[in-house]
Amino acid sequence: MLTLTKENLTEYLKNRIDFLDYSHPLTISAVGEGSIEEDGDGFINFVFRVSDGTHNIIIKQCRPNSRMVEAFQSLPVDRCELEYDTMMIRKAIVPEYVPELYYIDHDNKVFITEDVSYLRIMRFQLIKSAQFENFARHISRYMASTAFYTSEYYLETSDFRDLSVRFMNDGMRQIMDNLMFLVKRSDHDPVGAELDPDFARFARKVVYDEKVMLERYKLRHIFVTKGECLIHGDLHTSNIFLGEDDLKVIDMEYTFCGPISYDMGYLLNNFIAQYASAAFRPFDSENQRKEYQQYILQTIHDVFQGFCQEFIKYWNEDAKDIYQNLPELQEDFVSTTLSETFGFAASANLSRCAGAVSFPDFDAIENPVQKHNALCLSIIISKQLLLQRENYLSVDDVIKDIIGIEYIYKSNITEW
Ligand code: ADP
Ligand code: MG
């Protein structure tokens, strides 16, 4: 495998990308050299930006070793093809939400796409309390259409099975199988390892609560075995680029046929975190804090509702005959989606808040006491959602619980 560098990249591109203007030196940078706001918080792949002044492209090389984590030395390199192919499938369904695809090199595990950094990485805008009015509409359309049209509600059963086999992706999935759910107590368990002792004690108490563990094992089993549609697998807010009325999704190497509710749940983890972070980070006024928190709750609500409405719309229009005229099945779909989505959101939130990898959603809080409070609130909300998820009748019940938990938490710390 040729190792791409800034030095050999121009030669590499000359034989492969004919629309670039090579009459002047290309501008080349490696992701990781810029700020986190520009370059994101990805840590696996080697990514370069190249511009000739007119065209801006991204070159992503999937090597066996990770760019940032030394322990990752034998990552599966076929993730390159899997990511490219899942992007192509999504491009066919919702072209407006996927960067342009230009080239794949099977020998060197490289693919080339449009650089969409004229848009902003969502996570770092949310940290600054930015609001995106159209986000919920776009993301629910993206998620619902890619889920429905790769599911067996739409595809011929044998085609759906071929899709599941093609995207088995065992190697990459193993990372998430454990990271987002596994909570076995052991001497090497990372829970709280790198956190301050008070917080670590608190986090362990929640993470090792037997009822919490039980729910997370149930969810892990759903994640591992319920192959309903081709999911993205890592749909967090750093993998979403946004403008006023524009959205692009990147970084799909964890793709496989998984639960319909997983991507939405995993994404809403970031919104639970933002809600808890906004409860304690500095704002110019309490009114502004309230308004921002309200925006976050509205987004959670609209993403969930929008997803279900869009999915049912595609179902009514395009599902196979055997799945038509079954309103009870659709009702069951919505209630299962509700309990799974907020289960996955809460489980991912616990892993991120109490895990060893830093969680940038809380980085805007410099005061250590307030950061501690925000993380604790996020964890308590997640515990509640995990334990109550099967009792919720609608997303409004979830929102009520989030507000109620914040009220109780804040009342308690004021009394201390
Ligand atoms: P990783 O799997 O290592 O997270 P990503 O695909 O997320 O790899 O790429 C890492 C970073 O490179 C992203 O956070 C983003 O900043 C940048 N990047 C990747 N693809 C694009 C793209 N199509 N347009 C703009 N920036 C991109
Ligand atoms: Mg990434």
Side-chain angles (χ1 to χ4, degrees):
M1 180 191 285
L2 170 73
T3 299
L4 286 182
T5 63
K6 288 200 284 184
E7 288 66 39
N8 65 17
L9 200 51
T10 303
E11 272 317 299
Y12 177 84
L13 290 171
K14 271 186 187 165
N15 304 323
R16 293 165 169 96
I17 300 293
D18 60 8
F19 58 77
L20 287 180
D21 175 2
Y22 296 100
S23 62
H24 304 283
L26 300 171
T27 308
I28 302 178
S29 62
V31 160
E33 292 174 342
S35 69
I36 190 170
E37 188 172 332
E38 292 158 357
D39 281 355
D41 47 2
F43 54 82
I44 300 265
N45 298 290
F46 294 80
V47 180
F48 300 90
R49 291 182 205 288
V50 171
S51 174
D52 64 0
T54 308
H55 307 96
N56 302 304
I57 62 172
I58 288 278
I59 294 93
K60 181 165 174 174
Q61 185 166 42
C62 306
R63 300 181 198 162
N65 58 313
S66 150
R67 182 165 65 86
M68 306 280 278
V69 185
E70 236 174 88
F72 288 171
Q73 289 293 334
S74 50
L75 293 164
V77 290
D78 70 337
R79 68 185 191 279
C80 175
E81 281 84 3
L82 293 176
E83 177 166 1
Y84 195 78
D85 287 357
T86 204
M87 283 178 93
M88 286 220 291
I89 290 171
R90 280 149 217 278
K91 190 96 193 136
I93 300 170
V94 268
E96 64 274 37
Y97 298 135
V98 183
E100 294 301 326
L101 300 167
Y102 300 130
Y103 184 76
I104 180 149
D105 171 356
H106 299 283
D107 295 333
N108 298 302
K109 303 300 173 194
V110 173
F111 68 87
I112 301 178
T113 67
E114 174 194 13
D115 182 348
V116 294
S117 42
Y118 58 92
L119 303 170
R120 298 292 181 81
I121 299 178
M122 186 176 202
R123 191 195 301 262
F124 303 100
Q125 300 307 307
L126 291 178
I127 289 173
K128 292 195 274 185
S129 307
Q131 299 187 20
F132 296 90
E133 210 186 316
N134 299 311
F135 168 71
R137 184 165 54 80
H138 288 304
I139 200 70
S140 49
R141 192 168 119 72
Y142 163 83
M143 291 188 301
S145 58
T146 54
F148 178 81
Y149 289 105
T150 61
S151 77
E152 198 264 335
Y153 292 115
Y154 173 72
L155 295 174
E156 289 305 326
T157 309
S158 58
D159 291 342
F160 173 74
R161 289 191 176 127
D162 287 344
L163 188 76
S164 310
V165 171
R166 167 73 185 97
F167 288 92
M168 196 47 68
N169 206 0
D170 177 57
M172 294 306 287
R173 286 167 69 174
Q174 283 181 23
I175 298 175
M176 295 296 187
D177 291 348
N178 296 338
L179 217 62
M180 291 302 144
F181 305 97
L182 237 154
V183 288
K184 261 208 172 80
R185 221 188 262 257
S186 88
D187 291 344
H188 307 293
D189 199 314
V191 172
E194 300 188 0
L195 308 168
D196 82 69
D198 276 351
F199 179 70
R201 212 171 305 125
F202 174 79
R204 280 200 205 102
K205 225 176 152 175
V206 175
V207 167
Y208 294 138
D209 177 296
E210 283 188 2
K211 290 194 204 125
V212 168
M213 286 175 65
L214 177 64
E215 287 312 309
R216 294 183 82 196
Y217 282 123
K218 283 193 219 163
L219 286 157
R220 181 185 190 274
H221 193 67
I222 296 172
F223 179 70
V224 172
T225 59
K226 195 172 180 181
E228 292 181 297
C229 70
L230 189 62
I231 69 169
H232 177 290
D234 196 21
L235 188 61
H236 55 68
T237 46
S238 288
N239 286 334
I240 296 175
F241 278 72
L242 273 184
E244 274 297 288
D245 200 18
D246 225 342
L247 179 149
K248 305 276 179 198
V249 178
I250 64 158
D251 194 7
M252 312 193 181
E253 68 204 310
Y254 293 89
T255 189
F256 71 101
C257 283
I260 285 175
S261 52
Y262 184 73
D263 282 340
M264 177 159 54
Y266 186 78
L267 175 66
L268 291 181
N269 151 36
N270 287 131
F271 287 83
I272 296 170
Q274 279 305 321
Y275 184 82
S277 166
F280 290 100
R281 68 175 178 243
F283 276 85
D284 288 342
S285 71
E286 283 310 301
N287 268 349
Q288 282 185 15
R289 180 192 313 285
K290 282 216 169 71
E291 194 210 326
Y292 193 68
Q293 286 190 290
Q294 181 49 41
Y295 161 73
I296 295 291
L297 292 180
Q298 192 66 47
T299 302
I300 293 174
H301 176 275
D302 293 353
V303 168
F304 183 83
Q305 287 288 93
F307 176 89
C308 290
Q309 279 162 8
E310 288 281 317
F311 196 97
I312 299 285
K313 187 181 101 186
Y314 303 132
W315 185 329
N316 290 338
E317 288 169 2
D318 286 330
K320 295 188 289 201
D321 286 349
I322 51 162
Y323 291 121
Q324 291 293 355
N325 303 314
L326 295 168
E328 285 97 353
L329 190 64
Q330 293 185 336
E331 277 167 34
D332 181 72
F333 168 82
V334 173
S335 71
T336 306
T337 303
L338 182 68
S339 74
E340 286 184 4
T341 295
F342 288 98
F344 287 131
S347 187
N349 190 260
L350 283 186
S351 287
R352 293 307 312 271
C353 288
V357 184
S358 87
F359 196 7
D361 296 53
F362 294 88
D363 281 354
I365 318 179
E366 281 171 19
N367 178 322
V369 175
Q370 302 299 39
K371 192 166 180 168
H372 174 103
N373 279 330
L375 282 161
C376 287
L377 175 59
S378 203
I379 284 180
I380 302 172
I381 290 173
S382 292
K383 177 178 175 183
Q384 178 75 359
L385 300 190
L386 271 175
L387 301 190
Q388 292 304 319
R389 66 193 181 89
E390 282 176 353
N391 298 327
Y392 294 133
L393 298 178
S394 74
V395 65
D396 294 318
D397 293 344
V398 179
I399 307 277
K400 267 189 227 146
D401 251 3
I402 297 176
I403 296 170
I405 296 282
E406 184 196 7
Y407 179 77
I408 296 168
Y409 185 78
K410 281 195 161 167
S411 316
N412 275 309
I413 53 170
T414 332
E415 277 169 22
W416 286 346

